[in-house]
């Protein structure tokens, strides 16, 4: 067995885990790059940072899970090789036993030489001695290989056991870290929605809360308003929550999910209160308008220009809402009552909405 075949895979994620565990989430109120002393940030910023932490932890957890599966397959492969090596050693020992028994029956080198002299003369005796010497050398080599194989076998088994234990520990640490971040994120979501409810009840928005980082660049001119969604109420559907028919497309997402401008444009309305709760209306360059409602927070001000995919708010469940989601409309005017079906509207602009 070659050593390169026995070498276990290195696990990059194991190098990342201690650093992330030592650093901990960056979402406890400290500004990036600062010492955190006395620094306070709003719930929206905390949620945004925790979203980033959760995304990193989820990616690392998934990478760890996949690496664990790869390690499991590697250990199984190694075990198969070791099983084969054990069988080879067993066969080798059986062969050594057969040779030893044959030597014992023939009386060793003296008997083989005497037999050669009696049967074939000096030349035959010489051949018998050479044959016996080769056989003795083969026996010595077989014994040495057997001992080396046993040593390699023990080393490989120890390496496999150590690697598996390290992987199991890494997976446990990643799962614990992920659960801790998700718990903090859930608490921050509650705080964010509570602040939104206060604003809606007062009918006064808190104003834009700027989040860390700048706009995320997108190659396309149009994007969907959120990622990782599940479609719920569709355009034109009926229900007891609407006076007539549903005027938009609902995207079910957790509280605090980043909400993006679907295209370039200008913020023409930021409002709080009423059935839509906290809402934003954008005017786009092609003359259409889009509305983003039931938000928990806004990150842009009225009159501000936005680019495709720019973060403009965070989803919530403010106003007349039965659960966390984004209510999205495409309109021909900035006001309610002029909506068109937003799904084909987005699809026609190169931003198809998945079902």
């Amino acid at each position: 067995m070659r050593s390169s075949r026995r070498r276990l895979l290195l696990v990059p994620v194991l190098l990342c885990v201690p650093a992330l565990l030592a650093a901990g989430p960056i979402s406890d109120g400290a500004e990036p790059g600062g010492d955190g002393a006395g620094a306070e940030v709003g719930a929206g910023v905390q949620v945004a940072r925790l979203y980033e932490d959760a995304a990193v932890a989820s990616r690392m957890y998934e990478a760890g899970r996949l690496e664990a599966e790869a390690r499991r397959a590697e250990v199984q492969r190694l075990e198969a090789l070791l099983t084969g090596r054990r069988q080879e050693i067993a066969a080798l020992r059986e062969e050594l036993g057969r040779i030893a028994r044959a030597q014992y029956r023939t009386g060793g080198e003296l008997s083989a030489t005497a037999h050669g002299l009696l049967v074939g003369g000096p030349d035959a005796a010489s051949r018998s001695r050479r044959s016996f010497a080769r056989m003795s050398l083969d026996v010595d080599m077989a014994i040495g290989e057997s001992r080396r194989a046993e040593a390699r076998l023990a080393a490989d088994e120890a390496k496999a056991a150590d690697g598996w234990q390290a992987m199991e520990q890494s997976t446990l640490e990643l799962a614990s870290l992920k659960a801790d971040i998700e718990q903090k994120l859930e608490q921050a979501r509650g705080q964010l929605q509570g602040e939104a409810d206060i604003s809606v009840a007062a009918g006064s928005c808190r104003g834009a809360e700027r989040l860390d980082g700048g706009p995320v660049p997108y190659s396309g001119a149009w994007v969907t308003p959120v990622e990782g969604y599940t479609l719920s109420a569709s355009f034109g559907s009926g229900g007891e929550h609407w006076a007539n028919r549903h005027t938009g497309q609902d995207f079910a997402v957790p509280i605090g999910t980043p909400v993006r401008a679907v295209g370039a444009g200008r913020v023409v309305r930021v409002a709080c209160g009423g059935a839509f709760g906290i809402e934003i209306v954008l005017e786009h360059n092609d003359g259409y308008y889009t509305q983003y409602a039931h938000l928990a927070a806004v990150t842009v001000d009225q009159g501000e220009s936005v680019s495709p995919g720019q973060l403009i708010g965070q989803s919530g469940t403010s106003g007349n809402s039965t659960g966390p989601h984004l209510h999205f409309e495409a309109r021909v005017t900035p006001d309610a009552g002029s909506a068109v079906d937003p799904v084909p509207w987005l699809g026609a602009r190169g931003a198809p909405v998945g079902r």
Side-chain angles (χ1 to χ4, degrees):
M1 185 188 308
R2 296 182 181 271
S3 60
S4 59
R5 299 180 65 188
R6 304 193 313 271
R7 188 176 298 114
L8 296 179
L9 299 174
L10 293 177
V11 188
V13 73
L14 292 177
L15 303 177
C16 302
V17 174
L20 186 57
L21 290 172
I26 59 171
S27 342
D28 296 326
E31 294 290 347
D35 58 10
E40 294 185 2
V41 296
V45 174
Q46 293 183 39
V47 169
R49 292 179 181 176
L50 282 164
Y51 258 100
E52 294 176 359
D53 290 351
V56 171
S58 295
R59 287 194 296 270
M60 292 183 64
Y61 178 80
E62 181 64 12
R65 186 186 66 80
L66 294 175
E67 188 62 35
E69 291 180 359
R71 176 58 63 87
R72 186 179 293 110
E74 174 69 8
V75 170
Q76 291 172 348
R77 185 190 69 83
L78 182 60
E79 281 296 333
L81 292 176
L82 296 182
T83 298
R85 173 55 65 184
R86 291 189 185 99
Q87 293 172 349
E88 291 174 7
I89 292 173
L92 183 60
R93 285 175 173 167
E94 178 63 26
E95 178 64 14
L96 291 176
R98 186 191 65 78
I99 294 173
R101 289 192 296 273
Q103 285 182 314
Y104 178 78
R105 287 195 300 270
T106 60
E109 182 177 1
L110 180 61
S111 177
T113 302
H115 178 74
L117 286 171
L118 291 173
V119 174
D123 290 341
S126 178
R127 288 195 297 271
S128 295
R129 284 195 297 271
R130 289 196 298 270
S131 175
F132 186 84
R134 284 195 300 270
M135 184 177 65
S136 297
L137 180 60
D138 289 343
V139 169
D140 291 340
M141 291 178 62
I143 292 174
E145 174 59 24
S146 176
R147 290 173 178 171
R148 288 190 294 273
E150 289 283 5
R152 290 196 300 268
L153 181 65
D156 284 340
E157 288 179 326
K159 186 181 291 186
D162 291 344
W164 185 248
Q165 289 176 1
M167 179 56 67
E168 285 186 327
Q169 181 63 30
S170 169
T171 303
L172 289 174
E173 290 175 350
L174 284 170
S176 176
L177 174 64
K178 184 170 177 285
D180 180 62
I181 293 174
E182 289 175 347
Q183 181 181 13
K184 290 181 179 180
L185 178 57
E186 191 61 31
Q187 293 172 350
R189 283 173 176 157
Q191 181 183 347
L192 178 64
Q193 185 59 47
E195 293 177 357
D197 293 339
I198 293 173
S199 296
V200 171
S204 176
C205 293
R206 300 191 306 275
E209 184 174 18
R210 305 298 177 177
L211 305 182
D212 299 336
V216 177
Y218 285 87
S219 57
W222 298 89
V223 299
T224 56
V226 289
E227 294 180 326
Y229 55 81
T230 298
L231 295 180
S232 49
S234 58
F235 179 80
S237 60
E240 61 182 11
H241 299 291
W242 312 296
N244 296 301
R245 293 286 179 177
H246 193 228
T247 55
Q249 174 63 59
D250 287 351
F251 296 81
V253 287
I255 293 171
T257 298
V259 176
R260 311 178 295 183
V262 296
R266 183 176 62 90
V267 182
V268 297
R269 180 183 301 155
V270 176
C272 296
F276 287 122
I278 298 177
E279 64 167 322
I280 297 172
V281 177
L282 303 181
E283 179 184 13
H284 297 285
N285 298 336
D286 61 358
Y288 281 90
Y289 297 80
T290 52
Q291 180 212 29
Y292 312 77
H294 304 307
L295 301 176
V298 297
T299 62
V300 290
D301 291 315
Q302 191 161 311
E304 184 175 336
S305 295
V306 296
S307 57
Q310 181 175 334
L311 178 63
I312 60 173
Q314 293 167 289
S315 66
T317 183
S318 59
N320 184 16
S321 172
T322 58
H325 72 283
L326 171 70
H327 175 87
F328 174 77
E329 291 189 15
R331 300 172 174 176
V332 297
T333 76
D335 302 314
S338 63
V340 298
D341 191 339
V343 173
W345 186 86
L346 282 169
R349 286 159 174 76
V353 176
R355 291 291 179 179

